[in-house]
């Protein structure tokens, strides 16, 4: 029978989750109890009310196996306990089996109060004791049936605890999935912010230059600048689409974005975020926008691994975009300094403002989980973005003669 099975009955419609073996065991249990109920009833010539109540208890047991709604399951359990209890003494304790099954059903059902099975068991014990006293049954008979009902309470409580633990595990898994989804969305939003900040900021500068060139009558130069602005806008749109579809792992969209990127000639104003390229493309892009930048150190970032290099590229791109927006035409310094087992990358420009990008910088470094840190704050008359990253020992050893 299913008294000791660990099947969770709350997964299928109506709170059922039954394996084929559980169905078979319950069907076998119903058949065995029904057989002996009929055989003993004929031999002992049970009165009509015993036949009726016994049939109700067995029918409720069968209903429990085929019930599809929580309310129907509770009704089946109550009927098994009530009808079975009244026939325990006349059937010489045979009908204690559906009583125990009903108590287990109530005790394991999370939709029923935890005390319901204990109250039902106590009521069953009282009814059996009274019936046994009327029929002059032995004390051992009452103790045996009482032990069976108490066993049902313990089994029901055990199964309830198992289901509670399983439900908590499922809830924890759902919370984890929800947290991962929110993290993915935050990452996509951060990428979109970075792309738009760079692309739109550069586009504004390019269009300003086009306007100035047209006013000066330099049509050819203005046409060249307009073409660069169009390429920058197309690249920014492709990057934004890629970030939007990242949550859905849309390979087809990525392929289209790559195709759109390859269809337009590469320009310095369109920096790639490929970690292998380091900071060179960003520096060239900033200069193509008319910005002034002084670099110091290894802008290829050869001492960092790919993940840290990519984070640095993204943060520097954001810092340069902020510099162009808030301090246009002012000089920017970019320093890459090896300090023992760490690399410090510092971007500084005259006074700049804050924004969502600063939060995105910190989030990028927090995701690395390596102790890498980034700080962005005012220092005297400059706005400084400082990064501190661990050296990739394998990469560093590869650069040694």
């Amino acid at each position: 029978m299913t008294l000791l099975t660990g099947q969770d009955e709350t997964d299928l419609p109506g709170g059922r989750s039954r394996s084929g073996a559980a169905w078979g065991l319950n069907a076998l249990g119903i058949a065995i109890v029904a057989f002996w109920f009929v055989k003993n009833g004929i031999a002992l010539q049970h009165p009509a009310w015993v036949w009726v109540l016994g049939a109700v208890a067995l029918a409720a047991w069968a209903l429990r196996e085929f019930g599809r709604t929580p309310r129907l399951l509770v009704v089946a359990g109550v009927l098994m306990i009530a009808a079975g209890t009244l026939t325990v003494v006349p059937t010489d304790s045979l009908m204690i089996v559906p009583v125990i099954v009903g108590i287990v059903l109530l005790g394991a059902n999370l939709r029923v109060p935890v005390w319901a099975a204990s109250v039902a068991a106590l009521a069953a014990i009282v009814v059996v004791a009274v019936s046994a006293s009327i029929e002059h049954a032995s004390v051992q008979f009452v103790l045996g049936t009482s032990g069976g009902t108490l066993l049902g309470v313990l089994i029901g409580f055990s199964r309830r605890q198992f289901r509670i633990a399983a439900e908590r595990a499922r809830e924890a898994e759902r919370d984890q999935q929800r947290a991962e989804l929110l993290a993915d969305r935050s990452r996509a939003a951060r990428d979109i912010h970075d792309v738009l900040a760079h692309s739109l900021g550069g586009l504004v500068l390019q269009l300003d230059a086009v306007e100035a060139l047209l006013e000066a009558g330099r049509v050819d130069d203005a046409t060249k600048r307009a073409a660069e602005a169009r390429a920058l806008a197309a690249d920014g749109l492709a990057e934004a689409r890629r970030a939007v579809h990242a949550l859905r792992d849309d390979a087809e969209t990525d392929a289209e974005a790559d195709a759109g990127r390859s269809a337009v000639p590469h320009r310095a104003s369109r920096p790639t975020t490929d970690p292998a390229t380091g900071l060179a493309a960003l520096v060239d892009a900033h200069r193509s926008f008319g910005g002034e930048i002084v670099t110091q150190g290894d802008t290829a970032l050869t001492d960092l691994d790919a993940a840290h290099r990519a984070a640095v590229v993204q943060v520097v791109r954001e810092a340069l975009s902020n510099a162009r927006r808030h301090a246009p035409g002012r000089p920017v310094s970019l320093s890459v300094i090896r300090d023992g087992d760490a690399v410090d990358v510092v971007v500084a420009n005259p006074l700049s403002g804050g924004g969502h990008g600063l939060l995105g910088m910190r989030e990028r470094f927090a995701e690395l989980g390596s102790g890498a840190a980034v700080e962005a704050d005012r220092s005297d008359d400059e706005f400084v973005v400082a990064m501190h990253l661990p050296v990739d020992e394998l990469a560093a050893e590869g650069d040694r003669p």
Side-chain angles (χ1 to χ4, degrees):
M1 300 181 201
T2 60
L3 295 181
L4 299 178
T5 61
Q7 301 294 328
D8 187 352
E9 299 182 358
T10 61
D11 293 335
L12 292 179
R16 310 300 308 283
S17 175
R18 316 286 295 177
S19 66
W23 282 94
L25 288 173
N26 273 273
L28 179 62
I30 294 173
I32 291 175
V33 173
F35 171 78
W36 286 106
F37 176 71
V38 173
K39 183 177 180 180
N40 293 343
I42 295 174
L44 298 175
Q45 296 182 348
H46 287 326
W49 66 270
V50 174
W51 286 103
V52 172
L53 292 179
V56 169
L58 293 173
W61 190 354
L63 180 64
R64 179 246 186 182
E65 294 305 309
F66 295 97
R68 293 299 180 185
T69 63
R71 181 174 298 179
L72 192 59
L73 293 176
V74 173
V75 171
V78 172
L79 286 176
M80 277 189 283
I81 297 171
T85 299
L86 293 173
T87 56
V88 166
V89 175
T91 60
D92 197 20
S93 77
L94 175 65
M95 297 306 291
I96 194 64
V97 177
V99 174
I100 296 175
V101 174
I103 291 174
V104 171
L105 179 61
L106 292 184
N109 196 323
L110 299 181
R111 298 178 179 88
V112 176
V114 66
W115 47 262
S118 299
V119 172
L122 180 61
I125 290 173
V126 171
V127 172
V128 170
V130 172
S131 299
S133 176
I134 295 174
E135 298 292 333
H136 303 290
S138 65
V139 175
Q140 290 80 1
F141 177 89
V142 176
L143 293 177
T145 54
S146 300
T149 56
L150 294 178
L151 178 62
V153 173
L154 293 177
I155 295 175
F157 181 76
S158 176
R159 295 184 64 183
R160 174 184 285 265
Q161 294 303 111
F162 174 82
R163 292 178 187 176
I164 291 174
E167 182 62 29
R168 288 176 178 172
R170 286 193 292 268
E171 183 63 28
E173 183 178 359
R174 287 193 292 268
D175 290 341
Q176 181 179 359
Q177 292 175 348
R178 193 178 301 115
E180 291 174 354
L181 177 60
L182 291 176
D184 288 339
R185 288 179 176 176
S186 176
R187 190 177 300 112
R190 186 175 62 234
D191 291 342
I192 293 173
H193 172 271
D194 291 348
V195 169
L196 294 181
H198 168 77
S199 300
L200 295 181
L203 187 59
V204 169
L205 293 177
Q206 293 284 32
L207 293 178
D208 287 343
V210 169
E211 183 179 5
L213 290 171
L214 289 175
E215 290 177 354
R218 299 166 57 184
V219 177
D220 292 340
D221 291 339
T223 301
K224 181 180 178 181
R225 284 282 189 172
E228 290 185 351
R230 180 186 181 282
L232 181 64
D235 183 71
L237 181 60
E239 291 284 354
R241 284 175 177 170
R242 179 175 301 188
V244 169
H245 290 285
L247 293 178
R248 293 180 288 184
D249 293 329
D250 196 333
E252 180 179 352
T253 302
D254 285 350
E256 292 175 355
D258 291 337
R261 180 189 299 274
S262 61
V264 181
H266 177 75
R267 299 177 184 273
S269 62
R270 301 169 61 228
T272 176
T273 57
D274 183 356
T277 65
L279 301 174
L282 289 174
V283 172
D284 293 341
H286 186 75
R287 288 170 177 163
S288 73
F289 293 146
E292 180 182 345
I293 182 169
V294 178
T295 63
Q296 176 186 358
D298 178 21
T299 57
L301 305 175
T302 54
D303 289 334
L304 301 179
D305 59 27
H308 289 79
R309 197 178 303 142
V312 170
V313 169
Q314 294 289 355
V315 170
V316 171
R317 181 171 71 173
E318 175 66 20
L320 293 180
S321 296
N322 285 338
R324 289 192 296 271
R325 287 199 306 271
H326 302 289
R330 305 294 295 277
V332 178
S333 65
L334 170 62
S335 302
V336 181
I337 304 170
R338 171 71 182 269
D339 182 16
D341 59 352
V343 173
D344 292 320
V345 182
V346 180
V347 182
N349 61 270
L351 285 178
S352 172
H356 295 293
L358 303 182
L359 176 61
M361 294 177 186
R362 296 187 179 97
E363 289 176 347
R364 287 188 188 280
F365 274 61
E367 289 175 355
L368 294 173
S370 61
V374 59
E375 294 295 334
D377 204 351
R378 296 175 183 268
S379 176
D380 297 330
D381 293 332
E382 290 187 320
F383 190 81
V384 179
V385 178
M387 291 160 271
H388 185 78
L389 309 101
V391 169
D392 180 9
E393 295 297 338
L394 294 179
E397 291 177 2
D399 292 337
R400 295 171 186 167

